[in-house]
Amino acid sequence: MRKIMGTGAVLIMAGLMAPLSLAGDMADSVRKAWLTAKLYGNDNDGAALRPVVIQEVAPNRFSVHIQNQFGFKCDLTFDADGYPHQLSNCVSHEDGKPGGTDAWFVQEPAVIDLICSTTRKEVVCKGDYVLAKGSFKMDWTPMTIAMRRSALPRK
């Protein structure tokens, strides 16, 4: 019995046409969800959940802002699947002055790796860091960004 292949399949096998990248489209949809969904999070275990905003500040450059009393902001990168991946250049914006002498900042690591997990109701991305202000230094604490799982695109 012969199997009939579509023209697209023949062209792909012959190397004349690239296969469609559904994974890239899905990653773009997931990243878009993080940019448009209602997000929440905090900057340490003891902090209440606060609104979080992720903005594209330039093509493929993003920042995340935790809207708490410190106005904490970081640069953000996404992974190949469209999920938050790393935070860097994190500093508070107290009194409207970013990085002023009275600002909190991430002392270590220079880049915070985020690990995302999915529960029945939400997607939570966390990464540990050391927060400092002047000579005061806190113990390792997590930065959290989360959203309702229902905001993600369906596969």
Side-chain angles (χ1 to χ4, degrees):
M1 232 177 155
R2 284 188 177 178
K3 289 187 180 180
I4 300 174
M5 295 169 53
T7 307
V10 173
L11 290 173
I12 289 171
M13 290 176 64
L16 300 174
M17 185 173 117
L20 296 175
S21 174
L22 296 177
D25 292 341
M26 181 57 79
D28 288 343
S29 295
V30 170
R31 184 173 43 248
K32 185 176 180 182
W34 284 97
L35 293 170
T36 58
K38 182 177 180 182
L39 305 178
Y40 47 94
N42 56 34
D43 59 4
N44 67 67
D45 269 336
L49 292 177
R50 305 288 185 172
V52 171
V53 175
I54 298 175
Q55 294 179 310
E56 188 168 17
V57 293
N60 291 319
R61 287 192 52 227
F62 304 91
S63 73
V64 62
H65 179 207
I66 296 177
Q67 298 176 14
N68 60 9
Q69 68 272 26
F70 302 120
F72 213 65
K73 271 192 173 178
C74 302
D75 293 335
L76 172 71
T77 61
F78 288 92
D79 67 15
D81 295 325
Y83 289 88
H85 178 58
Q86 292 181 323
L87 299 171
S88 59
N89 302 317
C90 297
V91 67
S92 71
H93 289 231
E94 284 190 89
D95 302 325
K97 301 175 203 160
T101 56
D102 201 30
W104 288 92
F105 64 96
V106 172
Q107 186 174 37
E108 61 179 295
V111 175
I112 302 168
D113 291 318
L114 298 174
I115 298 172
C116 296
S117 59
T118 304
T119 67
R120 282 184 49 206
K121 293 189 176 192
E122 61 187 0
V123 179
V124 180
C125 300
K126 284 188 172 188
D128 291 334
Y129 67 100
V130 173
L131 191 63
K133 178 178 180 177
S135 61
F136 179 76
K137 182 170 105 172
M138 292 178 67
D139 289 332
W140 286 91
T141 187
M143 174 89 66
T144 304
I145 305 169
M147 73 171 163
R148 292 249 174 237
R149 189 173 174 185
S150 59
L152 285 174
R154 303 222 186 265
K155 293 181 182 179

Short mmCIF file of all heavy atoms in Angstrom, two decimals, residues 15-74:
data_model
loop_
_atom_site.label_atom_id
_atom_site.label_comp_id
_atom_site.label_asym_id
_atom_site.label_seq_id
_atom_site.Cartn_x
_atom_site.Cartn_y
_atom_site.Cartn_z
N GLY A 15 14.38 19.21 1.78
CA GLY A 15 15.20 20.31 2.27
C GLY A 15 14.91 21.64 1.61
O GLY A 15 15.68 22.58 1.74
N LEU A 16 13.79 21.74 0.91
CA LEU A 16 13.46 22.97 0.20
C LEU A 16 12.61 23.92 1.05
O LEU A 16 12.43 25.07 0.69
CB LEU A 16 12.73 22.65 -1.11
CG LEU A 16 13.54 21.79 -2.09
CD1 LEU A 16 12.66 21.43 -3.29
CD2 LEU A 16 14.78 22.53 -2.54
N MET A 17 12.06 23.43 2.15
CA MET A 17 11.18 24.25 2.97
C MET A 17 11.43 23.89 4.44
O MET A 17 11.53 22.71 4.77
CB MET A 17 9.73 23.95 2.59
CG MET A 17 8.70 24.80 3.27
SD MET A 17 7.09 24.44 2.54
CE MET A 17 6.27 23.80 3.97
N ALA A 18 11.55 24.88 5.29
CA ALA A 18 11.77 24.61 6.72
C ALA A 18 10.45 24.23 7.37
O ALA A 18 9.40 24.77 7.02
CB ALA A 18 12.35 25.85 7.40
N PRO A 19 10.47 23.30 8.35
CA PRO A 19 9.24 22.98 9.06
C PRO A 19 8.77 24.17 9.89
O PRO A 19 9.56 25.00 10.31
CB PRO A 19 9.64 21.80 9.96
CG PRO A 19 11.11 21.89 10.08
CD PRO A 19 11.62 22.55 8.83
N LEU A 20 7.48 24.24 10.12
CA LEU A 20 6.94 25.33 10.95
C LEU A 20 7.42 25.18 12.37
O LEU A 20 7.50 24.09 12.89
CB LEU A 20 5.41 25.29 10.92
CG LEU A 20 4.76 25.55 9.56
CD1 LEU A 20 3.26 25.35 9.67
CD2 LEU A 20 5.09 26.94 9.07
N SER A 21 7.72 26.29 13.01
CA SER A 21 8.18 26.26 14.39
C SER A 21 7.03 26.59 15.33
O SER A 21 6.78 27.74 15.63
CB SER A 21 9.32 27.27 14.58
OG SER A 21 9.68 27.33 15.94
N LEU A 22 6.33 25.56 15.77
CA LEU A 22 5.24 25.76 16.71
C LEU A 22 5.78 26.08 18.09
O LEU A 22 5.15 26.79 18.86
CB LEU A 22 4.34 24.53 16.75
CG LEU A 22 3.64 24.22 15.42
CD1 LEU A 22 2.83 22.94 15.54
CD2 LEU A 22 2.77 25.37 14.98
N ALA A 23 6.97 25.57 18.41
CA ALA A 23 7.55 25.84 19.73
C ALA A 23 7.84 27.32 19.89
O ALA A 23 7.59 27.90 20.93
CB ALA A 23 8.83 25.03 19.91
N GLY A 24 8.35 27.98 18.85
CA GLY A 24 8.64 29.42 18.92
C GLY A 24 7.38 30.24 19.09
O GLY A 24 7.34 31.19 19.85
N ASP A 25 6.32 29.84 18.38
CA ASP A 25 5.04 30.53 18.51
C ASP A 25 4.49 30.39 19.91
O ASP A 25 3.96 31.35 20.48
CB ASP A 25 4.02 29.99 17.49
CG ASP A 25 4.40 30.33 16.05
OD1 ASP A 25 5.22 31.26 15.85
OD2 ASP A 25 3.89 29.67 15.13
N MET A 26 4.59 29.20 20.50
CA MET A 26 4.09 28.97 21.84
C MET A 26 4.90 29.78 22.84
O MET A 26 4.34 30.38 23.76
CB MET A 26 4.14 27.47 22.20
CG MET A 26 3.61 27.17 23.59
SD MET A 26 1.91 27.73 23.90
CE MET A 26 1.00 26.46 23.11
N ALA A 27 6.23 29.84 22.67
CA ALA A 27 7.08 30.63 23.57
C ALA A 27 6.70 32.11 23.50
O ALA A 27 6.63 32.78 24.53
CB ALA A 27 8.56 30.44 23.22
N ASP A 28 6.42 32.61 22.30
CA ASP A 28 5.99 34.00 22.15
C ASP A 28 4.66 34.24 22.87
O ASP A 28 4.47 35.27 23.51
CB ASP A 28 5.86 34.38 20.67
CG ASP A 28 7.20 34.52 19.98
OD1 ASP A 28 8.24 34.65 20.68
OD2 ASP A 28 7.22 34.48 18.74
N SER A 29 3.75 33.28 22.78
CA SER A 29 2.46 33.40 23.46
C SER A 29 2.61 33.37 24.97
O SER A 29 1.93 34.11 25.69
CB SER A 29 1.52 32.27 23.02
OG SER A 29 1.22 32.39 21.65
N VAL A 30 3.50 32.52 25.46
CA VAL A 30 3.74 32.44 26.91
C VAL A 30 4.36 33.75 27.40
O VAL A 30 3.92 34.32 28.40
CB VAL A 30 4.65 31.23 27.26
CG1 VAL A 30 5.11 31.29 28.71
CG2 VAL A 30 3.92 29.92 26.98
N ARG A 31 5.37 34.27 26.68
CA ARG A 31 5.99 35.54 27.06
C ARG A 31 4.95 36.67 27.03
O ARG A 31 4.90 37.50 27.94
CB ARG A 31 7.17 35.86 26.14
CG ARG A 31 7.90 37.14 26.56
CD ARG A 31 9.18 37.41 25.79
NE ARG A 31 9.08 37.16 24.38
CZ ARG A 31 9.71 36.18 23.73
NH1 ARG A 31 10.49 35.35 24.38
NH2 ARG A 31 9.59 36.04 22.43
N LYS A 32 4.09 36.67 26.02
CA LYS A 32 3.05 37.69 25.94
C LYS A 32 2.12 37.61 27.16
O LYS A 32 1.68 38.64 27.68
CB LYS A 32 2.25 37.55 24.65
CG LYS A 32 1.23 38.64 24.46
CD LYS A 32 0.52 38.53 23.13
CE LYS A 32 -0.48 39.67 23.01
NZ LYS A 32 -1.23 39.60 21.77
N ALA A 33 1.82 36.41 27.62
CA ALA A 33 0.99 36.25 28.82
C ALA A 33 1.65 36.91 30.02
O ALA A 33 0.99 37.60 30.81
CB ALA A 33 0.73 34.77 29.10
N TRP A 34 2.97 36.75 30.16
CA TRP A 34 3.69 37.37 31.28
C TRP A 34 3.68 38.90 31.16
O TRP A 34 3.72 39.60 32.15
CB TRP A 34 5.12 36.86 31.38
CG TRP A 34 5.19 35.49 31.97
CD1 TRP A 34 5.28 34.31 31.29
CD2 TRP A 34 5.13 35.15 33.35
NE1 TRP A 34 5.28 33.27 32.17
CE2 TRP A 34 5.20 33.75 33.45
CE3 TRP A 34 5.03 35.90 34.52
CZ2 TRP A 34 5.16 33.08 34.66
CZ3 TRP A 34 5.00 35.23 35.74
CH2 TRP A 34 5.07 33.83 35.80
N LEU A 35 3.59 39.41 29.95
CA LEU A 35 3.59 40.87 29.74
C LEU A 35 2.20 41.48 29.90
O LEU A 35 2.09 42.68 30.14
CB LEU A 35 4.13 41.20 28.34
CG LEU A 35 5.60 40.90 28.10
CD1 LEU A 35 5.95 41.03 26.63
CD2 LEU A 35 6.48 41.79 28.94
N THR A 36 1.15 40.66 29.77
CA THR A 36 -0.20 41.23 29.78
C THR A 36 -1.07 40.75 30.94
O THR A 36 -2.07 41.38 31.24
CB THR A 36 -0.93 40.90 28.46
OG1 THR A 36 -0.97 39.48 28.29
CG2 THR A 36 -0.22 41.54 27.27
N ALA A 37 -0.72 39.65 31.58
CA ALA A 37 -1.55 39.10 32.65
C ALA A 37 -1.40 39.90 33.93
O ALA A 37 -0.44 40.65 34.10
CB ALA A 37 -1.18 37.64 32.91
N LYS A 38 -2.34 39.73 34.82
CA LYS A 38 -2.25 40.33 36.15
C LYS A 38 -1.24 39.50 36.95
O LYS A 38 -1.44 38.32 37.22
CB LYS A 38 -3.61 40.31 36.83
CG LYS A 38 -3.62 40.96 38.18
CD LYS A 38 -5.02 40.96 38.77
CE LYS A 38 -5.00 41.63 40.12
NZ LYS A 38 -6.34 41.61 40.74
N LEU A 39 -0.10 40.13 37.29
CA LEU A 39 0.98 39.44 38.00
C LEU A 39 1.02 39.89 39.45
O LEU A 39 0.57 40.98 39.79
CB LEU A 39 2.33 39.75 37.35
CG LEU A 39 2.46 39.46 35.86
CD1 LEU A 39 3.85 39.87 35.37
CD2 LEU A 39 2.19 38.01 35.55
N TYR A 40 1.61 39.06 40.29
CA TYR A 40 1.79 39.39 41.70
C TYR A 40 3.08 38.74 42.18
O TYR A 40 3.61 37.84 41.53
CB TYR A 40 0.58 38.93 42.54
CG TYR A 40 0.14 37.52 42.24
CD1 TYR A 40 0.60 36.44 42.99
CD2 TYR A 40 -0.76 37.27 41.20
CE1 TYR A 40 0.17 35.14 42.71
CE2 TYR A 40 -1.18 35.98 40.92
CZ TYR A 40 -0.71 34.92 41.68
OH TYR A 40 -1.12 33.64 41.40
N GLY A 41 3.61 39.23 43.27
CA GLY A 41 4.85 38.66 43.79
C GLY A 41 5.33 39.45 44.98
O GLY A 41 4.62 40.29 45.55
N ASN A 42 6.59 39.19 45.38
CA ASN A 42 7.19 39.91 46.50
C ASN A 42 8.70 39.82 46.39
O ASN A 42 9.24 39.12 45.55
CB ASN A 42 6.68 39.37 47.84
CG ASN A 42 6.91 37.89 48.00
OD1 ASN A 42 7.89 37.34 47.54
ND2 ASN A 42 5.99 37.22 48.67
N ASP A 43 9.37 40.56 47.28
CA ASP A 43 10.83 40.57 47.24
C ASP A 43 11.46 39.87 48.44
O ASP A 43 12.67 39.92 48.60
CB ASP A 43 11.36 42.01 47.12
CG ASP A 43 10.91 42.89 48.27
OD1 ASP A 43 10.26 42.40 49.19
OD2 ASP A 43 11.23 44.09 48.22
N ASN A 44 10.66 39.21 49.28
CA ASN A 44 11.20 38.36 50.35
C ASN A 44 10.06 37.54 50.95
O ASN A 44 8.89 37.79 50.69
CB ASN A 44 11.94 39.17 51.41
CG ASN A 44 11.04 40.09 52.19
OD1 ASN A 44 10.19 39.63 52.94
ND2 ASN A 44 11.22 41.39 52.01
N ASP A 45 10.42 36.53 51.74
CA ASP A 45 9.41 35.63 52.32
C ASP A 45 8.41 36.34 53.21
O ASP A 45 7.26 35.95 53.29
CB ASP A 45 10.10 34.53 53.13
CG ASP A 45 10.40 33.31 52.28
OD1 ASP A 45 9.72 33.12 51.26
OD2 ASP A 45 11.31 32.56 52.64
N GLY A 46 8.85 37.39 53.91
CA GLY A 46 7.99 38.07 54.86
C GLY A 46 7.09 39.12 54.25
O GLY A 46 6.19 39.62 54.91
N ALA A 47 7.30 39.45 53.00
CA ALA A 47 6.53 40.53 52.36
C ALA A 47 5.18 40.03 51.85
O ALA A 47 5.05 38.89 51.43
CB ALA A 47 7.32 41.12 51.20
N ALA A 48 4.19 40.89 51.92
CA ALA A 48 2.88 40.58 51.36
C ALA A 48 2.98 40.57 49.84
O ALA A 48 3.86 41.21 49.26
CB ALA A 48 1.87 41.63 51.81
N LEU A 49 2.08 39.83 49.20
CA LEU A 49 2.05 39.83 47.74
C LEU A 49 1.64 41.20 47.23
O LEU A 49 0.74 41.82 47.76
CB LEU A 49 1.07 38.77 47.24
CG LEU A 49 1.48 37.33 47.48
CD1 LEU A 49 0.39 36.39 47.00
CD2 LEU A 49 2.80 37.00 46.80
N ARG A 50 2.34 41.67 46.23
CA ARG A 50 2.11 43.00 45.64
C ARG A 50 1.95 42.86 44.13
O ARG A 50 2.42 41.89 43.54
CB ARG A 50 3.31 43.91 45.91
CG ARG A 50 3.70 44.06 47.34
CD ARG A 50 2.69 44.89 48.07
NE ARG A 50 3.17 45.10 49.44
CZ ARG A 50 2.62 45.90 50.28
NH1 ARG A 50 1.55 46.58 49.94
NH2 ARG A 50 3.10 46.03 51.49
N PRO A 51 1.34 43.87 43.51
CA PRO A 51 1.29 43.85 42.04
C PRO A 51 2.69 43.89 41.43
O PRO A 51 3.59 44.55 41.96
CB PRO A 51 0.52 45.14 41.70
CG PRO A 51 -0.22 45.49 42.93
CD PRO A 51 0.63 45.02 44.07
N VAL A 52 2.85 43.17 40.34
CA VAL A 52 4.12 43.13 39.61
C VAL A 52 3.83 43.49 38.16
O VAL A 52 2.84 43.04 37.60
CB VAL A 52 4.75 41.72 39.68
CG1 VAL A 52 5.95 41.61 38.76
CG2 VAL A 52 5.14 41.37 41.11
N VAL A 53 4.69 44.31 37.57
CA VAL A 53 4.53 44.71 36.17
C VAL A 53 5.82 44.37 35.42
O VAL A 53 6.91 44.71 35.87
CB VAL A 53 4.25 46.23 36.05
CG1 VAL A 53 4.20 46.66 34.59
CG2 VAL A 53 2.95 46.59 36.76
N ILE A 54 5.66 43.69 34.29
CA ILE A 54 6.79 43.43 33.39
C ILE A 54 6.56 44.29 32.15
O ILE A 54 5.48 44.27 31.57
CB ILE A 54 6.90 41.95 33.00
CG1 ILE A 54 7.16 41.10 34.24
CG2 ILE A 54 8.03 41.76 31.97
CD1 ILE A 54 7.16 39.61 33.97
N GLN A 55 7.58 45.06 31.76
CA GLN A 55 7.48 45.93 30.58
C GLN A 55 8.61 45.64 29.62
O GLN A 55 9.73 45.34 30.04
CB GLN A 55 7.57 47.39 31.00
CG GLN A 55 6.42 47.87 31.84
CD GLN A 55 6.61 49.33 32.23
OE1 GLN A 55 7.67 49.72 32.71
NE2 GLN A 55 5.58 50.13 31.99
N GLU A 56 8.32 45.78 28.34
CA GLU A 56 9.38 45.72 27.33
C GLU A 56 9.91 47.14 27.18
O GLU A 56 9.20 48.02 26.72
CB GLU A 56 8.84 45.19 26.00
CG GLU A 56 9.94 44.92 25.00
CD GLU A 56 9.47 44.13 23.79
OE1 GLU A 56 8.25 44.06 23.57
OE2 GLU A 56 10.33 43.58 23.09
N VAL A 57 11.15 47.37 27.60
CA VAL A 57 11.73 48.72 27.60
C VAL A 57 12.45 49.04 26.29
O VAL A 57 12.72 50.19 25.99
CB VAL A 57 12.67 48.93 28.81
CG1 VAL A 57 11.88 48.91 30.10
CG2 VAL A 57 13.78 47.90 28.85
N ALA A 58 12.79 48.00 25.54
CA ALA A 58 13.40 48.11 24.21
C ALA A 58 13.15 46.75 23.56
O ALA A 58 12.76 45.81 24.25
CB ALA A 58 14.90 48.41 24.33
N PRO A 59 13.36 46.64 22.26
CA PRO A 59 13.13 45.33 21.64
C PRO A 59 13.92 44.22 22.36
O PRO A 59 15.14 44.31 22.51
CB PRO A 59 13.62 45.52 20.20
CG PRO A 59 13.43 46.99 19.96
CD PRO A 59 13.73 47.65 21.27
N ASN A 60 13.18 43.24 22.86
CA ASN A 60 13.75 42.10 23.59
C ASN A 60 14.52 42.48 24.85
O ASN A 60 15.39 41.74 25.30
CB ASN A 60 14.61 41.23 22.68
CG ASN A 60 13.75 40.52 21.65
OD1 ASN A 60 12.68 40.03 21.97
ND2 ASN A 60 14.22 40.49 20.42
N ARG A 61 14.23 43.64 25.44
CA ARG A 61 14.77 44.04 26.75
C ARG A 61 13.59 44.33 27.66
O ARG A 61 12.71 45.11 27.29
CB ARG A 61 15.66 45.28 26.62
CG ARG A 61 17.00 44.96 25.96
CD ARG A 61 18.02 46.08 26.09
NE ARG A 61 18.17 46.51 27.47
CZ ARG A 61 18.17 47.79 27.85
NH1 ARG A 61 18.01 48.75 26.99
NH2 ARG A 61 18.34 48.11 29.12
N PHE A 62 13.61 43.72 28.84
CA PHE A 62 12.46 43.79 29.73
C PHE A 62 12.88 44.23 31.12
O PHE A 62 14.02 44.00 31.55
CB PHE A 62 11.78 42.42 29.82
CG PHE A 62 11.36 41.88 28.48
CD1 PHE A 62 12.22 41.08 27.74
CD2 PHE A 62 10.13 42.20 27.96
CE1 PHE A 62 11.85 40.60 26.50
CE2 PHE A 62 9.74 41.72 26.70
CZ PHE A 62 10.60 40.93 25.98
N SER A 63 11.95 44.85 31.83
CA SER A 63 12.17 45.18 33.23
C SER A 63 10.97 44.70 34.02
O SER A 63 9.86 44.59 33.49
CB SER A 63 12.38 46.69 33.44
OG SER A 63 11.16 47.37 33.29
N VAL A 64 11.22 44.37 35.27
CA VAL A 64 10.15 43.94 36.16
C VAL A 64 10.12 44.90 37.34
O VAL A 64 11.17 45.34 37.83
CB VAL A 64 10.33 42.47 36.61
CG1 VAL A 64 11.61 42.27 37.39
CG2 VAL A 64 9.14 41.99 37.42
N HIS A 65 8.92 45.28 37.77
CA HIS A 65 8.76 46.23 38.86
C HIS A 65 7.81 45.63 39.88
O HIS A 65 6.65 45.36 39.56
CB HIS A 65 8.21 47.54 38.31
CG HIS A 65 7.99 48.59 39.35
ND1 HIS A 65 7.05 49.57 39.21
CD2 HIS A 65 8.56 48.81 40.55
CE1 HIS A 65 7.06 50.35 40.28
NE2 HIS A 65 7.96 49.90 41.10
N ILE A 66 8.30 45.40 41.10
CA ILE A 66 7.45 44.95 42.20
C ILE A 66 6.96 46.21 42.89
O ILE A 66 7.76 46.99 43.41
CB ILE A 66 8.20 44.03 43.16
CG1 ILE A 66 8.61 42.76 42.43
CG2 ILE A 66 7.33 43.70 44.37
CD1 ILE A 66 9.43 41.80 43.24
N GLN A 67 5.67 46.42 42.88
CA GLN A 67 5.10 47.66 43.39
C GLN A 67 4.88 47.59 44.90
O GLN A 67 3.76 47.48 45.38
CB GLN A 67 3.79 47.97 42.64
CG GLN A 67 4.04 48.18 41.17
CD GLN A 67 2.75 48.39 40.39
OE1 GLN A 67 1.70 48.63 40.95
NE2 GLN A 67 2.84 48.31 39.09
N ASN A 68 5.99 47.65 45.62
CA ASN A 68 5.93 47.68 47.09
C ASN A 68 6.49 49.02 47.57
O ASN A 68 6.73 49.92 46.78
CB ASN A 68 6.68 46.49 47.69
CG ASN A 68 8.16 46.48 47.31
OD1 ASN A 68 8.68 47.42 46.73
ND2 ASN A 68 8.83 45.39 47.62
N GLN A 69 6.68 49.12 48.88
CA GLN A 69 7.14 50.40 49.44
C GLN A 69 8.51 50.83 48.92
O GLN A 69 8.86 51.99 48.98
CB GLN A 69 7.13 50.35 50.98
CG GLN A 69 8.16 49.43 51.60
CD GLN A 69 7.68 47.99 51.78
OE1 GLN A 69 6.81 47.52 51.07
NE2 GLN A 69 8.28 47.30 52.73
N PHE A 70 9.28 49.88 48.39
CA PHE A 70 10.62 50.22 47.91
C PHE A 70 10.66 50.46 46.41
O PHE A 70 11.65 50.94 45.88
CB PHE A 70 11.62 49.12 48.25
CG PHE A 70 11.71 48.82 49.71
CD1 PHE A 70 11.43 47.58 50.21
CD2 PHE A 70 12.07 49.82 50.61
CE1 PHE A 70 11.50 47.31 51.56
CE2 PHE A 70 12.15 49.56 51.96
CZ PHE A 70 11.85 48.30 52.44
N GLY A 71 9.60 50.11 45.69
CA GLY A 71 9.60 50.29 44.24
C GLY A 71 10.71 49.50 43.58
O GLY A 71 11.46 50.01 42.76
N PHE A 72 10.83 48.24 43.93
CA PHE A 72 11.93 47.39 43.48
C PHE A 72 11.85 47.11 41.98
O PHE A 72 10.83 46.68 41.48
CB PHE A 72 11.86 46.09 44.27
CG PHE A 72 13.18 45.48 44.56
CD1 PHE A 72 14.08 46.12 45.38
CD2 PHE A 72 13.52 44.26 44.03
CE1 PHE A 72 15.31 45.56 45.66
CE2 PHE A 72 14.74 43.69 44.31
CZ PHE A 72 15.63 44.34 45.13
N LYS A 73 12.94 47.37 41.22
CA LYS A 73 13.01 47.13 39.78
C LYS A 73 14.23 46.31 39.42
O LYS A 73 15.29 46.48 40.01
CB LYS A 73 13.08 48.45 39.01
CG LYS A 73 11.76 49.03 38.66
CD LYS A 73 11.92 50.17 37.67
CE LYS A 73 10.56 50.63 37.21
NZ LYS A 73 10.66 51.75 36.29
N CYS A 74 14.07 45.44 38.41
CA CYS A 74 15.17 44.62 37.90
C CYS A 74 15.05 44.51 36.39
O CYS A 74 13.96 44.63 35.83
CB CYS A 74 15.10 43.19 38.46
SG CYS A 74 15.12 43.03 40.23
#
